[in-house]
Amino acid sequence: TIESEIKKELLNKGLNENIKIEFNAGKPSINLPSDMRLNVEVQDFSFNSQRDSFTATLVAPSIDNPIRKISVDGFVDRVVKIPVLSSTLQNGDIIGKNDIQYVQISAKDVQHSAVMKSEDMIGMTPRRIAHAGKFIQRGTLEKPQLVERGDEITIQFHRGPMVLTAKGKALQSGAIGDSIRVTNASSARTISAVVNGSKEVIVR
């Protein structure tokens, strides 16, 4: 109840719901007679936004009937939600929506390079093993390689409504949208093509 009243005061100061309250001397308590209503009210409250610290005077059961009075102080720990993997994945595993869950973490513990949106994870694959529950850093994910060097591939040629296909070989690895060099199996000619799917490229 005490913590709830402190949080109400902090919300009135403009803070949002994503906060944790830490008391400097441990969680405070007020003992009231057994026949009295369990209630507490804030008599005085101040908040230092630069330090995220607060001081308060509380009375119970009410300001009009202050049987008990205590002073408390503490600080606010701002909490953010970040996306993490729900299971451990390796390179080549493509991250889908169901592979992601959000967890709450202290804002001061979030590294600057952490991925903060699930949209930046979906469709990607870890460069190395990525453990469940650990926040993901930018640069540790990459587009999945849909074509590997040496793969036998299908080359598509688009000319208006006409689509021609040919067999070929990839000379480079690439993810969707990457331009790579391939060899046409029929002509042995090396050309540039754009990765369009799994073991599939398109000549634009």
Side-chain angles (χ1 to χ4, degrees), residues 146-185:
L146 299 182
V147 174
E148 298 287 348
R149 181 181 179 182
D151 279 349
E152 298 294 327
I153 57 172
T154 299
I155 305 172
Q156 292 186 356
F157 299 87
H158 287 244
R159 290 294 182 270
M162 182 175 62
V163 179
L164 301 177
T165 61
K167 295 299 182 181
K169 185 175 183 179
L171 301 179
Q172 294 175 301
S173 300
I176 191 77
D178 287 348
S179 179
I180 63 173
R181 291 184 299 114
V182 301
T183 299
N184 186 314

Side-chain angles (χ1 to χ4, degrees), residues 92-154:
D93 296 329
I94 299 176
I95 301 172
K97 184 178 180 180
N98 293 334
D99 295 315
I100 300 172
Q101 62 184 11
Y102 274 85
V103 298
Q104 288 189 333
I105 187 172
S106 172
K108 64 177 180 289
D109 293 332
V110 179
Q111 295 184 11
H112 178 71
S113 59
V115 175
M116 302 300 292
K117 297 187 297 183
S118 61
E119 292 84 351
D120 295 333
M121 297 170 59
I122 294 174
M124 305 290 277
T125 186
R127 291 183 183 272
R128 293 174 291 276
I129 188 169
H131 296 282
K134 303 292 186 180
F135 62 81
I136 302 295
Q137 293 184 348
R138 289 191 296 272
T140 62
L141 300 178
E142 63 182 3
K143 293 180 181 179
Q145 302 291 295
L146 299 182
V147 174
E148 298 287 348
R149 181 181 179 182
D151 279 349
E152 298 294 327
I153 57 172
T154 299

Side-chain angles (χ1 to χ4, degrees), residues 29-91:
S29 63
I30 299 177
N31 296 317
L32 289 172
S34 58
D35 61 345
M36 189 162 289
R37 181 169 62 100
L38 295 178
N39 187 60
V40 64
E41 294 182 357
V42 177
Q43 188 176 57
D44 294 301
F45 186 84
S46 63
F47 175 65
N48 186 322
S49 59
Q50 293 182 333
R51 297 184 178 181
D52 278 344
S53 62
F54 65 86
T55 59
T57 300
L58 302 104
V59 292
S62 68
I63 293 177
D64 295 332
N65 186 24
I67 301 298
R68 299 284 190 270
K69 176 188 286 190
I70 62 169
S71 295
V72 299
D73 55 37
F75 62 93
V76 175
D77 190 7
R78 298 175 188 265
V79 176
V80 295
K81 289 184 178 181
I82 64 169
V84 298
L85 294 175
S86 55
S87 59
T88 298
L89 298 180
Q90 302 181 36
N91 181 258

